Amino acid sequence: MAPPSNRRTGFSKRAQYTNFFGYIAAIAGALLGGALLIVSFVDPNAFSGLRGLASDGARPMATATATVRSEGSGFFDTIGGYFTRGSRVSRLEREAEINRVRLAEAAALAEENRRLKALMNMPVEGVDPVAKAQLVASTGSSPRRFATLSAGSSAGVTTGMPVRSPLGLVGRVLEVSRGTSRVLLITDSESVVPVRRSTDGIVATARGVGDGTMQLELVSLGINPLKPGDIFVTSGSGGLYRPGIAVAVVMAVTRDGATARVLSDPASSEFVAVEPIYIAALGMPDASVSASPPPAPAKQ
């Protein structure tokens, strides 16, 4: 049988009133919305107070949400940093070590350039160096003080030639091979250098002690005129070292001389110049300098 065409809700008054008031509420809502829309177009600032009130009411919830979001982000960042911290610290330490090495190399290169420039501009007072070379080795633990020079007979170096740096006397050539030379440092206990005080020419003998210092022994005994800070230079006596090369500075005065510190420390004198023997530079190439004193004359 076909359904009836009557679609009424029935004889229930409650259902009929519910539908009626629903239609009324829908129409009223539509009219209110239309009115509010027209007002917002006519006066956009008409509802600013209501919007502010709504924002104030929602602020606690928004603040709580932002705090939870921030704390959650920090928590996950902490977890991630915990797992990646080791690799980051290792990388930073490696970079710091590399930078430290590069700084040390740069400082060493700057110091080497300074020494080379000082050596190239070193005044020689009319004496041309035979060779300019490098001290490549030394006897640091032995009581004797020797060094190896990176120049030999092929560069014109011969036995007895003085070796100096821009700061002063380093030693003299003891043995020569084709490409290297053995240098007796002035701090060696067998090294004796005739010296004089630079201010007034007081003559003394500078003898190596073996511990990096020298002992100054006055030739003329009497009242000791030396004082700390006096600088001694080569006197030229003996014909081996030319006069005026700086040797040592007085540290402490003794009864018959003084203890002196070497001005040109062989440990830090990397680049040096080899000069000709003084008497040979004066025009006496056949003259020879003996390392030992001449024999005493025979008694008549």
Side-chain angles (χ1 to χ4, degrees):
M1 186 175 76
S5 59
N6 187 4
R7 294 182 179 275
R8 295 178 61 184
T9 57
F11 297 98
S12 175
K13 296 292 184 178
R14 181 179 295 177
Q16 292 176 1
Y17 285 136
T18 300
N19 289 336
F20 175 74
F21 286 116
Y23 292 142
I24 294 298
I27 294 172
L31 292 176
L32 181 60
L36 294 176
L37 183 62
I38 293 172
V39 172
S40 64
F41 278 116
V42 174
D43 186 7
N45 296 324
F47 303 106
S48 60
L50 294 176
R51 287 195 297 268
L53 184 62
S55 297
D56 291 342
R59 186 181 64 179
M61 183 61 66
T63 303
T65 304
T67 302
V68 171
R69 184 172 60 251
S70 177
E71 293 295 334
S73 177
F75 174 75
F76 288 111
D77 289 343
T78 302
I79 296 297
Y82 177 79
F83 288 104
T84 60
R85 180 179 179 275
S87 59
R88 291 180 181 178
V89 171
S90 178
R91 184 179 69 254
L92 291 176
E93 289 180 349
R94 184 168 60 253
E95 292 177 356
E97 186 65 25
I98 293 174
N99 292 334
R100 190 179 300 111
V101 172
R102 288 177 178 175
L103 286 175
E105 290 177 348
L109 182 60
E111 178 65 17
E112 182 178 351
N113 290 335
R114 185 189 66 79
R115 292 180 181 178
L116 285 174
K117 289 180 181 179
L119 185 62
M120 295 301 295
N121 299 326
M122 183 176 59
V124 293
E125 301 178 1
V127 178
D128 294 329
V130 175
K132 294 180 179 181
Q134 184 178 16
L135 291 177
V136 296
S138 62
T139 54
S141 59
S142 171
R144 301 299 304 275
R145 293 291 182 262
F146 299 101
T148 302
L149 186 68
S150 63
S153 59
S154 60
V157 180
T158 59
T159 303
M161 286 186 171
V163 179
R164 64 162 299 180
S165 74
L167 297 178
L169 187 64
V170 174
R172 62 183 175 89
V173 177
L174 191 64
E175 299 175 356
V176 179
S177 62
R178 178 171 179 78
T180 60
S181 302
R182 194 182 191 197
V183 178
L184 178 70
L185 302 178
I186 59 174
T187 54
D188 185 84
S189 58
E190 297 296 326
S191 174
V192 178
V193 181
V195 295
R196 59 178 173 83
R197 190 160 65 175
S198 60
T199 55
D200 54 8
I202 293 179
V203 181
T205 300
R207 187 182 301 275
V209 180
D211 60 354
T213 62
M214 303 189 76
Q215 187 66 35
L216 297 177
E217 301 173 355
L218 294 174
V219 174
S220 300
L221 299 179
I223 299 176
N224 190 343
L226 303 183
K227 60 182 181 298
D230 288 344
I231 296 177
F232 279 78
V233 299
T234 53
S235 63
S237 178
L240 181 62
Y241 308 103
R242 65 178 178 86
I245 303 176
V247 177
V249 58
V250 174
M251 294 190 303
V253 178
T254 61
R255 185 178 61 84
D256 57 350
T259 301
R261 174 178 57 86
V262 177
L263 288 173
S264 181
D265 185 6
S268 59
S269 301
E270 183 177 1
F271 298 97
V272 296
V274 181
E275 294 185 358
I277 298 175
Y278 179 52
I279 57 175
L282 292 178
M284 296 179 287
D286 295 334
S288 61
V289 179
S290 176
S292 58
K299 294 182 180 181
Q300 300 295 337

